[in-house]
Amino acid sequence: MNKKYFGTDGIRGRVGEFPIIPEFIMHLGYSAGKILAASDWHLAKGERPTVLIGKDTRVSGYMFESALEAGFSAAGVDVLLSGPLPTSAIAYLTRALRLQAGIVISASHNLFEDNGVKFFSSGGTKLPDDIEIKIEAGLNNPIQTMPSAKLGKVQRLNDATGRYIEFCKSTFPYDLDLRGLRIVVDCAHGAAYHIAGHVMLELGADVITICAEPDGFNINHECGATHITTLQNSVKQHGADLGIALDGDGDRVLMVDKDGTIYDGDVLLYIIAKHRQQKNILKGGVVGTLMTNLAIEKAFGELGIPFMRARVGDRHVLELLIKNNWQLGGEGSGHIVCLDKHTTGDGIITALQILYALRDTALTLAKFTQDVVLYPQRLINVNVPKGFDFRNDVTITLSTQQAESDLGSDGRILLRASGTEPLIRVMVEGRMKQKVDHWAEQIANAVQLAANLQ
């Protein structure tokens, strides 16, 4: 059975446009609550299942927090509210507090006009497909509020921030610190605005925190991992050793060095894997995605590190990690999973793993990655009608085949539909930038033409 609302990262869209409206979100909470209430949790007599609801800093979060709260309460489920907190913090606290589920209100790296809802299981992982399908099926049933004596209660989890800061710090070796390092941390005016800088500061770094003044509207706006220029400028301005850029919900991270060079998720994944191999603590291999730069795959091959590609999306990376009993995987966007540290991607914890590698080896980002030169990669997003299928179009197929023949074994082409927007993403990479740009534009034009003719 196909899912109607859940994508690769929950349910997401433009606020005020269905399904990102209060009525639907309340019904979503109710449906999820009924499924939780009907599950066998071995609760004490009279004890209700409990969920944790967190959010990022966008203004619509207040509205959807109230809607979810009402839906769960109507279903007889107790609710804890954390306020603004990174996605990965909700996953951690759900597991640490032995709760039945965690819910995050966020549109991640999108601007404030969007929002969404994603769920975590009691183990701090994304909900299985079958549970999401059951929640969607429950949306067909009307809300039938429990009797007053059985309504869920709601309260604030006042120490959520402190708990999560200590958890992040615990993933960094106790015999090392960050003294002597000047670090700029760009919080994207998002969920980590009151957390990321404190973590680095408490580990001894000299920290300059920027973009940490959310007003409900400025999340991800010309800052954070989606707009790295702000961090680059700040690192140079403050003479910092490096910079860390998070996204709005704190599960992604990119870094820059003192010269402003960008280190994306592919390179960060390489650093962590190579360091773990050096320390003889790398378990198995590494999972990337269909978008992982070909140079990274070749670099892992030279190190003798097994590498596999999953479909795009942290859910698929996690599935392949579990299947292979590996621990490390991630995406070029900076969403990296270290399963020995956390059950999901975490921007702060990933940054700490990089800082561990640098401190342990006394190397800079540039020195540690001097053997890796990423291939030029061009990504073009093509707007298409909903449901547009590019796979059977002759013109697109021909253009793709021509590109593959020209690029040879040192190039890759990937066409995929976005899981959250009506877009076809055209990605081309290879050794020669001129060829990469040419074929990306050729294929994108073919996709646009086919979409216009539909």
Side-chain angles (χ1 to χ4, degrees):
M1 180 177 175
N2 292 326
K3 290 180 282 188
K4 184 177 180 181
Y5 301 112
F6 282 96
T8 56
D9 198 23
I11 301 172
R12 189 184 301 179
R14 183 58 54 95
V15 174
E17 296 179 7
F18 188 85
I20 311 301
I21 58 174
E23 299 92 329
F24 178 89
I25 300 301
M26 181 171 67
H27 206 155
L28 181 69
Y30 175 79
S31 178
K34 293 299 286 185
I35 290 171
L36 290 174
S39 300
D40 183 13
W41 294 106
H42 303 291
L43 299 173
K45 186 177 180 180
E47 186 181 4
R48 287 180 288 264
T50 304
V51 301
L52 174 63
I53 299 177
K55 60 184 180 180
D56 62 24
T57 57
R58 60 196 77 222
V59 66
S60 58
Y62 296 96
M63 176 172 66
F64 294 128
E65 180 184 58
S66 297
L68 280 173
E69 176 187 331
F72 278 110
S73 180
V77 174
D78 286 347
V79 175
L80 294 175
L81 300 175
S82 71
L85 213 60
T87 288
S88 43
I90 299 303
Y92 162 68
L93 290 168
T94 299
R95 178 166 52 96
L97 296 173
R98 277 50 172 186
L99 305 178
Q100 280 63 65
I103 301 92
V104 180
I105 303 164
S106 174
S108 188
H109 55 282
N110 293 19
L111 296 176
F112 83 95
E113 294 94 344
D114 294 341
N115 216 333
V117 178
K118 45 191 169 186
F119 290 80
F120 287 100
S121 70
S122 58
T125 60
K126 298 289 178 68
L127 285 186
D129 289 333
D130 63 319
I131 300 298
E132 291 184 342
I133 289 170
K134 287 181 181 179
I135 292 174
E136 287 198 358
L139 293 169
N140 296 320
N141 303 324
I143 293 178
Q144 295 181 333
T145 304
M146 297 290 284
S148 292
K150 295 184 177 181
L151 291 175
K153 297 179 180 179
V154 182
Q155 60 180 318
R156 289 275 168 189
L157 183 61
N158 293 319
D159 59 347
T161 298
R163 284 173 179 260
Y164 177 59
I165 288 174
E166 289 305 312
F167 169 63
C168 289
K169 288 163 54 185
S170 75
T171 66
F172 191 80
Y174 287 103
D175 58 340
L176 292 175
D177 59 49
L178 301 178
R179 289 186 174 87
L181 273 183
R182 171 169 281 197
I183 302 173
V184 177
V185 181
D186 182 343
C187 297
H189 297 303
Y193 77 96
H194 54 324
I195 293 172
H198 287 289
V199 171
M200 304 301 163
L201 185 66
E202 291 180 23
L203 288 172
D206 175 12
V207 179
I208 297 100
T209 303
I210 64 171
C211 303
E213 299 175 348
D215 60 10
F217 308 99
N218 58 3
I219 186 170
N220 298 314
H221 179 64
E222 296 184 353
C223 59
T226 57
H227 190 86
I228 203 74
T229 305
T230 299
L231 178 62
Q232 290 173 305
N233 293 338
S234 186
V235 166
K236 292 177 181 178
Q237 176 189 344
H238 293 284
D241 297 293
L242 54 85
I244 297 168
L246 303 170
D247 69 338
D249 71 331
D251 63 356
R252 296 184 180 192
V253 64
L254 300 183
M255 298 179 72
V256 303
D257 63 16
K258 63 180 182 180
D259 298 320
T261 303
I262 301 170
Y263 297 79
D264 70 1
D266 286 348
V267 181
L268 299 183
L269 186 62
Y270 169 81
I271 293 173
I272 298 172
K274 182 178 179 180
H275 180 241
R276 289 186 175 200
Q277 184 189 52
Q278 292 172 346
K279 302 288 287 184
N280 199 28
I281 57 173
L282 177 64
K283 183 177 180 181
V286 177
V287 174
T289 73
L290 296 173
M291 295 293 289
T292 301
N293 196 284
L294 187 58
I296 296 296
E297 180 178 356
K298 290 179 179 290
F300 282 141
E302 291 174 4
L303 292 173
I305 296 175
F307 176 78
M308 295 185 71
R309 293 181 184 270
R311 285 171 14 186
V312 174
D314 63 292
R315 171 190 292 270
H316 305 303
V317 170
L318 184 59
E319 287 172 354
L320 199 50
L321 285 174
I322 293 171
K323 180 180 177 181
N324 288 295
N325 197 26
W326 295 353
Q327 294 179 335
L328 183 61
E331 305 181 89
S333 64
H335 196 288
I336 295 174
V337 181
C338 303
L339 282 181
D340 60 323
K341 304 299 180 185
H342 202 352
T343 57
T344 190
D346 186 307
I348 296 174
I349 289 175
T350 297
L352 290 177
Q353 292 298 292
I354 299 298
L355 292 169
Y356 171 31
L358 301 184
R359 284 312 238 184
D360 187 52
T361 60
L363 295 175
T364 63
L365 285 167
K367 285 286 187 182
F368 205 106
T369 59
Q370 62 184 355
D371 296 332
V372 177
V373 179
L374 296 182
Y375 287 7
Q377 192 177 81
R378 178 80 179 274
L379 177 65
I380 301 177
N381 293 322
V382 183
N383 290 298
V384 298
K386 265 192 172 179
F388 172 72
D389 188 354
F390 63 87
R391 289 167 294 188
N392 298 319
D393 184 86
V394 176
T395 305
I396 296 173
T397 301
L398 180 60
S399 183
T400 301
Q401 289 173 344
Q402 290 173 336
E404 288 173 337
S405 176
D406 188 32
L407 293 170
S409 61
D410 282 331
R412 285 196 317 126
I413 298 157
L414 176 66
L415 276 71
R416 67 180 185 90
S418 168
T420 57
E421 303 169 272
L423 298 172
I424 300 298
R425 305 193 193 280
V426 177
M427 189 280 291
V428 178
E429 71 176 355
R431 284 189 181 275
M432 299 178 62
K433 186 177 186 304
Q434 186 176 0
K435 281 189 177 183
V436 168
D437 288 339
H438 169 75
W439 286 116
E441 290 165 9
Q442 287 287 107
I443 297 171
N445 289 336
V447 172
Q448 191 68 77
L449 179 62
N452 292 342
L453 292 175
Q454 181 173 328

